[in-house]
Amino acid sequence: MIKAAIMGYGNLGKGVEKALVKAEDMELVGVFTRRDPAGVKVDSGAKAFHADDLENMKDDIDVLIICGGSATDLPEMTPKYAAMYNVIDSFDTHANIPVHFKNVDEAAKKAGKIGIISCGWDPGMFSLNRLYAHSVLPGGKDYTFWGKGVSQGHSDAIRRIEGVADARQYTVPVPEALEAVRKGENPELTTRQKHTRLCYVVAKEGADKDKITEEIVNMPNYFADYDTTVNFITAEEMAANHSGLPHGGSVIYSGSTGDGTNKHVIEYSLKLDSNPEFTGSVLVAYARAAVRMNKAGDSGAKTVFDVAPALLSPLSGEEIRAHML
Amino acid sequence: MIKAAIMGYGNLGKGVEKALVKAEDMELVGVFTRRDPAGVKVDSGAKAFHADDLENMKDDIDVLIICGGSATDLPEMTPKYAAMYNVIDSFDTHANIPVHFKNVDEAAKKAGKIGIISCGWDPGMFSLNRLYAHSVLPGGKDYTFWGKGVSQGHSDAIRRIEGVADARQYTVPVPEALEAVRKGENPELTTRQKHTRLCYVVAKEGADKDKITEEIVNMPNYFADYDTTVNFITAEEMAANHSGLPHGGSVIYSGSTGDGTNKHVIEYSLKLDSNPEFTGSVLVAYARAAVRMNKAGDSGAKTVFDVAPALLSPLSGEEIRAHML
């Protein structure tokens, strides 16, 4: 049995826990938190520990799955714990991946451990599909569409506006853009032409709804470059219709062979009822691979690109060749 | 530059050649044939050799891409050449993969070479998607649909019927079945419920068309288990509308997380103008990986499951992390 532990117990940590419970070859040693562990109720009944306990549990944990935020948690945590454990994270601040990779690589190599970074579905499964497609059909073009799905970052941004009690933001691909890309037309698309943003907002009593709408649609980085629709709903409607965290999207690659006359379109798409539970499931499969790579003598920072697919499955080589090849 | 050679120069060998011409880090040493090489005109201008010359060119070739049939060519050729070269094939007789793997493994290990078998899109890219999905969401169900596309085996089977001058058979997924699977309904589907078969036939003058139709639709293994439509057309219509070898299909996986309430659907689909050119492109990317794995000290039989995705790309780790992660 692979002994896995979770660092951080928010939506993602709970998704990882659910995936670990289903993994027959893995067990959950415990959940680690920077809060008081006495106040953390772990769904599966596993023990809650304080993060400081990680200093003294090196023999008890084969892989630590770090479920923190990319802005401040992971840049500090992943290199720190890669110096002690095989680790994996879902770091997704694209511009900072080279620095994060370097920091994790140095710590992990020194400790003789594996650190897989930027794992999940984007970055993660979507990245794999971009790489496979570019490698097989060089010179083509990849498009990534997200949604329809809840963006937690955009929902949080709306919640910070004065007069907003609650909010949920859906990212929605523009159907005409999707269609053109699927046909292999290789269109040039602006940000606005690819996605729209659909917001459901519960306003506080007496709040100025027009002012809230103006603040949302003009918010730089988050909404200003998109066509945004704002719908005001009641707290009851929010609870009844928008409590889930669905997401998904497509990576579509359009390439050609020979002199370019034969065109090929490759599409990978996800429709997910729960973004954190699916992301957690990806992390658990790659946590298994991290332990196996380390046992085979490898160390340093890795991404999904470096992991042979067979390492993700609990089944043997014979079994996967017989049933999936 | 990676020095690649092609064994066998039919549709697939020509597809491999086109992909090699586009690969900036690879060069085509030559095409090897069991025919008289003087009679083989190689499209790119590369040299044609007799297959027997492979006995004496071990220093000139880094990887041999074997483009033969799965019935009789590959079971003999791939182990034979794995004893001399890094090799790759597209062996697709599913029931015989364990034996083929074993034979190639023994020869390749003894020679210190890599032999990648069963590469292309199914087996190949489709297999990868089955494995990734099963590994991330254990306990779900995978469905594979082929088409709309030309099945060369089925077209050949029709051509062997008395009175048939030419034929083209398209495999077509049943839209209702596809729809149910995409919705995550996990239906139980018979062979007949998944695909239909659409045939275009040029009859010889005076041939009995009703008899041809009867022979097609009742042909065991090929057509008897399917709803089959037979259309008689002229040789001119055949040349104008059915000269290509398009194909494609989808792998759709339906799984869940937690207690099963959150469902997730993963779909990978291909729309290919040319089946042999796309398959050839996959073989070339994996030929690159075979050489790299061998240089790193690895040997023996491999499948797409054993190859880390980064090995397929001519780009560096830094480049793929920057542009595709």
Side-chain angles (χ1 to χ4, degrees):
Chain A
M1 295 288 272
I2 293 172
K3 293 174 282 179
I6 297 169
M7 171 68 215
Y9 198 57
N11 283 333
L12 181 56
K14 289 176 185 188
V16 168
E17 180 187 17
K18 284 181 177 154
L20 280 172
V21 167
K22 282 183 93 167
E24 291 172 16
D25 60 333
M26 301 175 84
E27 60 182 318
L28 175 57
V29 175
V31 168
F32 292 79
T33 172
R34 288 169 297 185
R35 295 178 271 167
D36 176 3
V40 175
K41 202 196 151 310
V42 181
D43 293 341
S44 63
K47 203 175 161 190
F49 295 87
H50 192 273
D52 291 346
D53 292 334
L54 284 169
E55 304 288 337
N56 314 305
M57 293 183 68
K58 285 173 202 167
D59 295 338
D60 305 309
I61 296 168
D62 295 320
V63 59
L64 180 67
I65 304 173
I66 308 179
C67 302
S70 294
T72 55
D73 296 340
L74 298 177
E76 183 243 324
M77 284 181 183
T78 311
K80 174 179 171 182
Y81 294 119
M84 301 181 235
Y85 299 96
N86 295 310
V87 296
I88 178 163
D89 76 18
S90 61
F91 186 78
D92 67 357
T93 308
H94 200 273
N96 297 339
I97 285 176
V99 172
H100 190 56
F101 185 90
K102 185 171 168 286
N103 292 341
V104 174
D105 195 48
E106 283 172 5
K109 278 211 177 107
K110 208 167 156 189
K113 299 290 182 185
I114 292 279
I116 299 180
I117 66 159
S118 301
C119 191
W121 60 274
D122 197 8
M125 303 312 293
F126 274 17
S127 320
L128 280 175
N129 278 279
R130 288 187 282 263
L131 177 63
Y132 277 119
H134 276 282
S135 301
V136 166
L137 292 178
K141 200 163 155 60
D142 69 76
Y143 295 82
T144 302
F145 290 92
W146 296 276
K148 182 182 177 179
V150 173
S151 165
Q152 297 184 67
H154 288 77
S155 301
D156 290 343
I158 300 174
R159 283 193 206 98
R160 286 192 291 266
I161 293 173
E162 202 190 314
V164 171
D166 198 4
R168 199 74 83 256
Q169 195 269 187
Y170 294 90
T171 307
V172 185
V174 174
E176 294 75 20
L178 255 178
E179 205 44 48
V181 169
R182 282 194 177 126
K183 280 189 190 151
E185 292 174 3
N186 278 4
E188 290 292 333
L189 297 167
T190 63
T191 297
R192 191 177 298 273
Q193 288 169 324
K194 282 184 74 186
H195 297 93
T196 54
R197 298 201 175 275
L198 177 60
C199 313
Y200 293 92
V201 178
V202 180
K204 290 182 184 163
E205 215 180 304
D208 183 340
K209 291 181 180 174
D210 288 345
K211 192 158 166 277
I212 291 171
T213 301
E214 280 304 299
E215 279 201 52
I216 294 172
V217 302
N218 294 312
M219 196 185 295
N221 302 320
Y222 285 87
F223 294 98
D225 297 334
Y226 298 85
D227 290 338
T228 301
T229 307
V230 180
N231 297 314
F232 287 92
I233 60 174
T234 65
E236 292 70 32
E237 287 173 304
M238 182 66 83
N241 303 326
H242 305 285
S243 63
L245 292 170
H247 218 314
S250 302
V251 173
I252 307 176
Y253 186 87
S254 181
S256 63
T257 47
D259 56 4
T261 45
N262 283 322
K263 297 196 191 302
H264 312 286
V265 178
I266 305 171
E267 176 165 356
Y268 178 81
S269 70
L270 294 174
K271 276 181 275 180
L272 311 175
D273 274 359
S274 166
N275 182 355
E277 290 184 12
F278 185 80
T279 303
S281 299
V282 178
L283 285 170
V284 166
Y286 277 91
R288 174 184 291 122
V291 174
R292 291 175 167 179
M293 291 169 89
N294 190 239
K295 277 204 177 134
D298 203 354
S299 67
K302 308 286 173 187
T303 72
V304 292
F305 298 153
D306 305 305
V307 179
L311 296 174
L312 303 174
S313 172
L315 304 177
S316 70
E318 289 78 12
E319 287 171 311
I320 60 177
R321 285 193 296 275
H323 300 298
M324 299 177 206
L325 192 62
Chain B
M1 294 289 272
I2 292 172
K3 293 173 282 180
I6 297 169
M7 172 68 215
Y9 198 58
N11 282 333
L12 180 56
K14 289 177 184 188
V16 168
E17 180 186 18
K18 284 181 176 154
L20 280 172
V21 167
K22 282 182 94 167
E24 290 173 16
D25 60 334
M26 300 175 84
E27 60 183 319
L28 175 57
V29 175
V31 167
F32 293 79
T33 173
R34 287 168 298 183
R35 294 178 271 167
D36 176 3
V40 174
K41 202 195 150 312
V42 180
D43 293 341
S44 63
K47 203 174 160 190
F49 296 88
H50 192 273
D52 291 346
D53 291 335
L54 283 168
E55 305 288 336
N56 314 305
M57 293 184 68
K58 287 174 201 167
D59 294 338
D60 305 309
I61 297 169
D62 295 320
V63 59
L64 180 66
I65 304 173
I66 307 179
C67 303
S70 294
T72 55
D73 295 341
L74 299 177
E76 181 242 325
M77 284 181 183
T78 312
K80 174 180 172 180
Y81 294 119
M84 302 180 235
Y85 299 96
N86 296 310
V87 296
I88 178 163
D89 77 18
S90 61
F91 185 78
D92 66 358
T93 308
H94 199 273
N96 298 339
I97 286 176
V99 172
H100 189 56
F101 186 90
K102 185 170 167 285
N103 292 341
V104 174
D105 195 48
E106 283 172 5
K109 279 212 177 105
K110 209 167 156 189
K113 298 292 182 184
I114 292 280
I116 299 180
I117 67 159
S118 301
C119 191
W121 58 275
D122 196 7
M125 304 311 293
F126 275 17
S127 320
L128 280 175
N129 279 278
R130 289 187 281 262
L131 177 63
Y132 277 119
H134 276 282
S135 301
V136 167
L137 291 178
K141 199 163 155 60
D142 69 76
Y143 294 82
T144 303
F145 290 92
W146 296 275
K148 182 183 175 179
V150 173
S151 164
Q152 298 184 67
H154 287 78
S155 302
D156 290 342
I158 300 173
R159 283 193 206 97
R160 287 191 290 266
I161 293 173
E162 202 190 313
V164 171
D166 198 3
R168 198 75 82 255
Q169 194 269 183
Y170 293 91
T171 306
V172 185
V174 174
E176 295 75 19
L178 255 178
E179 205 43 49
V181 170
R182 280 192 179 128
K183 280 188 189 151
E185 293 174 3
N186 278 5
E188 291 293 331
L189 297 168
T190 63
T191 298
R192 193 177 298 273
Q193 287 170 325
K194 283 183 75 186
H195 296 93
T196 53
R197 298 202 175 276
L198 177 60
C199 312
Y200 293 92
V201 178
V202 180
K204 290 182 184 162
E205 217 181 301
D208 182 340
K209 291 182 179 172
D210 289 344
K211 192 158 166 274
I212 291 171
T213 301
E214 281 305 298
E215 278 200 53
I216 294 173
V217 302
N218 295 312
M219 196 185 295
N221 302 319
Y222 285 87
F223 293 98
D225 297 334
Y226 298 85
D227 290 338
T228 300
T229 306
V230 180
N231 297 314
F232 288 91
I233 60 174
T234 64
E236 292 70 33
E237 286 172 306
M238 182 66 82
N241 304 326
H242 305 284
S243 62
L245 292 170
H247 218 315
S250 301
V251 172
I252 307 177
Y253 187 87
S254 180
S256 63
T257 47
D259 56 5
T261 46
N262 282 322
K263 297 194 191 305
H264 312 285
V265 178
I266 305 171
E267 176 166 355
Y268 178 81
S269 71
L270 295 174
K271 276 181 275 180
L272 312 175
D273 275 357
S274 166
N275 183 355
E277 290 184 11
F278 184 79
T279 303
S281 299
V282 178
L283 285 171
V284 166
Y286 277 91
R288 173 184 292 120
V291 174
R292 290 174 167 181
M293 291 170 89
N294 189 239
K295 277 203 177 134
D298 203 353
S299 67
K302 309 285 174 188
T303 72
V304 291
F305 298 153
D306 306 304
V307 179
L311 297 174
L312 303 175
S313 172
L315 304 177
S316 70
E318 289 78 11
E319 286 171 311
I320 60 177
R321 285 193 297 274
H323 299 298
M324 298 178 207
L325 193 60

